[in-house]
Amino acid sequence: MNKASRLFCPALITPKNAVVKQTEQLSRSQKLLTELGLVKSGSNGTYQIMPMAQRSVDKLIGLVQSNMGLAGGQKISLPILTSTQLWKKTGRLEGDISEFYMVRDRSGKQFLMSPTHEEAVTAMLATTSPISYRQLPLRLYQIGPKFRDELKSRFGLMRAKEFLMKDMYTFDVSEETATRTYATVSAAYDRLFQQLEVPFVKVNAATGMMGGSLSHEYHYISPVGEDTLLQCSSCGFAGNSEVLETSLQESPTSCPSCKSTSLSTVRGVEVAHTFLLGDKYSKPLGATFLNTSGKPQSLVMGCYGIGITRIIAAALEVLSTDQELRWPKLLAPYDVCLIGPKQGSKEQQPAEAIENELLGNIGELCGHQELLHDDRKELTIGKRLLEAKRLGHPLTVVVGAKAVQPEAPKLEVHLSDGDSLELDINEALKLVAEHSQHKRDLLLGRFEQYKEKVGHQL
């Protein structure tokens, strides 16, 4: 069980009459995460993640790892530093490199603080003893920090200079099998985003500096997004406006899917990207396998990225209000917050007996690590409840004066969507059980009963 009195959560305290000078545009998620002490700003464009937000990060990592495992992924770890010589071989140092962090060691050798690892993982396989076609497909992924010297880092974790990312690299014997791998990993991505229950769109995308023949982006729709998308209100189709204009050689006036004219321009936050790369990296770096004839042949690759910290910030951006966080159910730091009576109140003794009973019962239903006990009884119930609402706990259970009234005692239960209920103990426990069951259903891929909450996926 977690106690609020022991939780390190350095909230930003602003004096009542202080005039705050705004030096940058803040997103809703950045403002709330900072004010509530879940994230602290480090140096320009970097952020320190506090314990409560770290719980959310860890949950998302677990969810991503589960889905990558289902897609046949094997987890590895690659060095952050990659030799610039590898990037020169693939030609990726010939373009704009202003976003890259570069360092030299004491002997003068130059390295990149990797923004991505295509060269590193491909070079690793190139130096591995001959790989047989029988070992393929091979699907390797890692979760770790990436670095980009953003010209304008903004919106907190959504566009930071250091960020956490899952990147998978796949290796196949042919374009045909690589396309099947692409479909398998894409299905795992679809499943992940359905589990998160945040409306998303999947669009055809340009391959850009990554190269390759096929690419898709996953977006959360938000005014702070940096990509322009065209969305159809009739059938739910969405597409990257730049890609659509390039393929049609003009700006579309009707939906490419249903031909409706109900197209509107929306902004999207890109949270994941998939690429079918072919031999763009394997050929120049000499990564081969031995085919059925025993002859070397270039590996056919794909790469698949998910922005871990960006998903959390973008999901909060979409779901939250201006004053209160709203978490995807599977990412909320805690499932339940339990608030007991104030120290010295007339109901303290009988209410604490109920509170102690609930600590055990709720913990058994949702898991003791998913229960936050706000034991700061020197604070009023109102003050603790206000903080709990702002933090966005899915369920907040209050044991106050109404819990000990002689006739029809009731607990107050506050839901993260703003609803509040007065329930007896059994009804409150049933609500906790339903919430826990909902989470289990999502983890098992049972989306149908909740599908109306998910939005369009294409």
Side-chain angles (χ1 to χ4, degrees), residues 341-351 401 404:
K342 186 180 185 301
Q343 186 76 34
S345 62
K346 61 183 179 182
E347 68 271 9
Q348 181 184 355
Q349 188 173 355
V404 297

Side-chain angles (χ1 to χ4, degrees), residues 383-411:
K383 187 165 185 177
R384 286 179 283 162
L385 179 58
L386 178 62
E387 183 180 299
K389 285 183 173 183
R390 295 203 71 203
L391 288 168
H393 303 302
L395 297 170
T396 300
V397 179
V398 178
V399 185
K402 292 180 181 178
V404 297
Q405 60 192 11
E407 295 182 10
K410 299 289 184 182
L411 302 172

